């Protein structure tokens, strides 16, 4: 008996509706149960909240290579089905086969590990490959990779960052997949080293680094599944790079999605096009031209729309004075906020508040 797992992948950095994504996965999980009934000796169900798991049995009268080939064929059919249902790239992991009567848990864990280890292999269907390493050797390897990751953060370098991060995470999963809390411990220890790296680089921002570290650790503690822990750590590393180099996603490459994400996070600050262009390592004219072409709206207009929507939200749901709302949304002054709001909404902020309630 063999466990096979399937998850969507390659989502990118685009914006997603979390409710729509949740419903899409839910539909996929339900249809996986029915699809499994069309496959020989196979049942299907949900893989936590992000994918599907299948259990299948090959013909025991066949040779080992033939059984492996049959399992691979089933996995490929599952991959094709999942790709159609999810409308995007899918990764399928296959655990090792266990004999009748033996616990299936190990094959299930191996199928999960195959997903994580196979992400960088460029394959759609990945067989789990056993790793016969001593525990102590594995921990030394984790430490070595983590020290390299720390060095990249200290130097604010993006060179080899992706490969180093993947190597560290793969080693953690290889060593500790059987123990989710051990995985969490390795990742938390990694955040501690990243905090040390930030403090070494930014002498005047020790308190800011500590606050960021506390928030990132809290986010990691809230992660319930292995997948969520991995995503939480990757998100934490990105936030750390934002802190040490201004904007890790903008450096060296004019990424309009990166510029948009930066504006989404910092619109409450007194931003200027010149500062954003400097982070993106380009001129203001080039930045403005590319941003409008990509996003369909000018950079300044996009920024003001963010501030306007936040101001409306605060007027509808809170009781802050108008001048405090103006400050918290990044407007120059209360008078400027009033003029801008009246121009956009056709009424004053106070009038809008009364109407909305």
């Amino acid at each position: 008996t063999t466990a096979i797992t399937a998850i969507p992948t390659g989502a990118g950095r685009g914006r997603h509706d979390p409710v729509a994504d949740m419903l899409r996965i839910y539909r996929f999980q339900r249809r996986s149960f029915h699809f499994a009934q069309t496959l020989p000796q196979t049942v299907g169900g949900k893989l936590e909240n992000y994918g599907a798991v299948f259990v299948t049995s090959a013909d025991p009268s066949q040779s080992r290579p033939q059984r492996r080939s049959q399992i691979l064929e089933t996995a490929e059919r599952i991959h094709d089905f999942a790709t159609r249902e999810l409308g995007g790239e899918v990764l399928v992991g296959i655990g090792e086969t266990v004999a009748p009567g033996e616990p299936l848990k190990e094959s299930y864990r191996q199928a999960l590990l195959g997903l994580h280890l196979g992400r960088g292999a460029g394959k759609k269907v990945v067989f789990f490959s056993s790793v016969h390493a001593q525990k102590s050797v594995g921990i030394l390897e984790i430490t070595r990779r983590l020290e390299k990751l720390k060095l990249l953060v200290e130097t604010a370098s993006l060179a080899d960052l992706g490969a180093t991060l993947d190597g560290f995470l793969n080693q953690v999963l290889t060593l500790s997949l059987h123990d989710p809390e051990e995985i969490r411990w390795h990742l938390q220890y990694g955040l501690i080293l990243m905090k040390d790296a930030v403090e070494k680089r930014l002498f005047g921002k020790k308190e800011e680094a500590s606050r960021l570290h506390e928030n990132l650790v809290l986010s990691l503690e809230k992660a319930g599944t292995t997948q969520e822990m991995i995503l939480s750590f990757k998100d934490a590393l990105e936030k750390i790079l934002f802190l040490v180099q201004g904007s890790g996603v903008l450096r060296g490459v004019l990424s309009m999605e990166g510029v948009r994400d930066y504006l989404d996070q910092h619109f409450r600050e007194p931003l200027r096009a010149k500062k954003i262009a400097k982070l993106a390592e380009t001129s203001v004219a080039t930045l403005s031209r590319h941003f409008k072409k990509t996003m369909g709206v000018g950079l300044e207009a996009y920024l003001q729309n963010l501030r306007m929507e936040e101001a409306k939200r605060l007027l509808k749901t809170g009781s802050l004075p108008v001048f405090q709302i103006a400050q918290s949304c990044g407007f120059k002054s209360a008078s400027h906020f009033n003029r801008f709001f009246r121009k956009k909404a056709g009424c004053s902020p106070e009038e809008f508040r009364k109407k909305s309630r």
Side-chain angles (χ1 to χ4, degrees):
T1 306
T2 306
I4 301 174
T5 52
I7 61 170
T9 186
R13 292 178 52 83
R15 291 180 174 180
H16 298 280
D17 181 343
V19 176
D21 285 347
M22 179 182 68
L23 292 174
R24 181 169 62 103
I25 295 296
Y26 175 67
R27 286 193 297 268
F28 167 60
Q29 291 172 337
R30 289 188 61 189
R31 290 169 183 168
S32 293
F33 173 80
H34 296 290
F35 174 73
Q37 296 175 340
T38 68
L39 302 174
Q41 299 294 316
T42 304
V43 295
K46 71 174 188 175
L47 174 60
E48 299 189 41
N49 62 349
Y50 59 89
V53 60
F54 300 82
V55 177
T56 188
S57 295
D59 186 348
S61 65
Q62 295 184 334
S63 65
R64 181 181 175 86
Q66 288 174 325
R67 293 198 303 270
R68 183 181 174 90
S69 177
Q70 185 179 340
I71 290 169
L72 178 59
E73 181 182 348
T74 299
E76 288 175 341
R77 290 179 64 181
I78 290 172
H79 175 268
D80 293 342
F81 156 76
T83 301
R84 292 193 304 271
E85 289 294 325
L86 293 168
E89 295 182 5
V90 172
L91 187 62
V92 172
I94 309 171
E96 293 183 341
T97 299
V98 299
E102 292 185 0
L104 189 61
K105 185 182 295 185
E106 190 59 27
S107 182
Y108 170 73
R109 289 171 176 168
Q110 292 165 351
L112 281 176
L113 184 55
L115 292 175
H116 294 289
L117 297 181
R119 281 184 178 275
K123 297 180 180 179
K124 306 300 183 184
V125 179
V126 183
F127 271 101
F128 169 78
S129 177
S130 298
V131 179
H132 305 291
Q134 295 289 333
K135 188 84 170 180
S136 58
V137 174
I139 289 179
L140 286 174
E141 183 63 18
I142 286 176
T143 303
R144 185 185 71 81
R145 292 174 185 270
L146 195 52
E147 287 294 336
K148 184 176 180 181
L149 195 61
K150 178 185 175 183
L151 179 62
L152 292 177
V153 172
E154 285 180 1
T155 58
S157 173
L158 295 182
D160 298 326
L161 179 65
T164 304
L165 174 61
D166 287 342
F168 164 66
L169 294 175
N170 287 347
Q171 189 64 29
V172 167
L173 291 166
T174 300
L175 188 69
S176 306
L177 186 67
H178 65 283
D179 189 344
E181 288 309 308
E182 189 173 294
I183 292 175
R184 196 188 307 272
W185 182 88
H186 285 306
L187 299 182
Q188 287 174 338
Y189 177 67
L191 289 181
I192 292 173
L193 290 189
M194 297 306 106
K195 174 176 173 285
D196 293 342
V198 171
E199 290 179 350
K200 280 186 180 180
R201 181 172 175 82
L202 305 175
F203 300 103
K205 294 188 177 182
K206 188 172 182 178
E207 290 185 4
E208 187 175 349
S210 296
R211 286 196 302 271
L212 176 62
H213 174 257
E214 290 173 3
N215 291 334
L216 297 180
V217 168
L218 181 62
S219 176
L220 183 58
E221 288 176 351
K222 290 180 179 178
T225 66
T226 299
Q227 181 82 352
E228 288 170 349
M229 284 189 278
I230 296 298
L231 293 176
S232 176
F233 187 83
K234 288 185 175 182
D235 182 62
L237 186 62
E238 184 174 323
K239 286 182 170 64
I240 288 169
L241 287 173
F242 262 100
L243 181 61
V244 298
Q245 65 175 183
S247 175
V249 297
L250 304 185
R251 186 171 182 250
V253 179
L254 185 60
S255 166
M256 290 303 104
E257 286 191 352
V259 173
R260 184 197 64 196
D261 290 347
Y262 185 81
L263 294 178
D264 290 348
Q265 294 180 40
H266 298 271
F267 69 88
R268 298 176 184 83
E269 302 171 12
L271 294 178
R272 296 289 182 272
K274 186 176 181 180
K275 175 183 177 180
I276 301 169
K278 185 177 180 181
L279 290 173
E281 295 186 352
T282 188
S283 66
V284 173
T286 301
L287 172 67
S288 300
R289 183 174 65 254
H290 280 275
F291 190 89
K292 187 169 185 178
K293 182 179 179 180
T294 304
M295 302 301 170
V297 63
L299 189 146
E300 186 65 26
Y302 183 84
L303 185 59
Q304 296 293 20
N305 286 338
L306 288 176
R307 291 169 173 166
M308 183 70 172
E309 290 304 311
E310 177 67 4
K312 285 182 177 180
R313 186 186 70 81
L314 293 175
L315 287 168
K316 288 179 180 179
T317 61
S319 56
L320 285 175
V322 170
F323 79 92
Q324 287 189 10
I325 291 177
Q327 289 178 349
S328 65
C329 293
F331 288 93
K332 298 176 184 176
S333 63
S335 59
H336 174 256
F337 171 58
N338 275 298
R339 290 195 302 272
F340 180 83
F341 195 95
R342 185 179 289 276
K343 180 180 179 181
K344 292 292 184 180
C347 62
S348 70
E350 288 291 359
E351 290 170 341
F352 177 84
R353 172 177 274 168
K354 291 177 181 178
K355 290 178 181 179
S356 65
R357 294 186 178 183

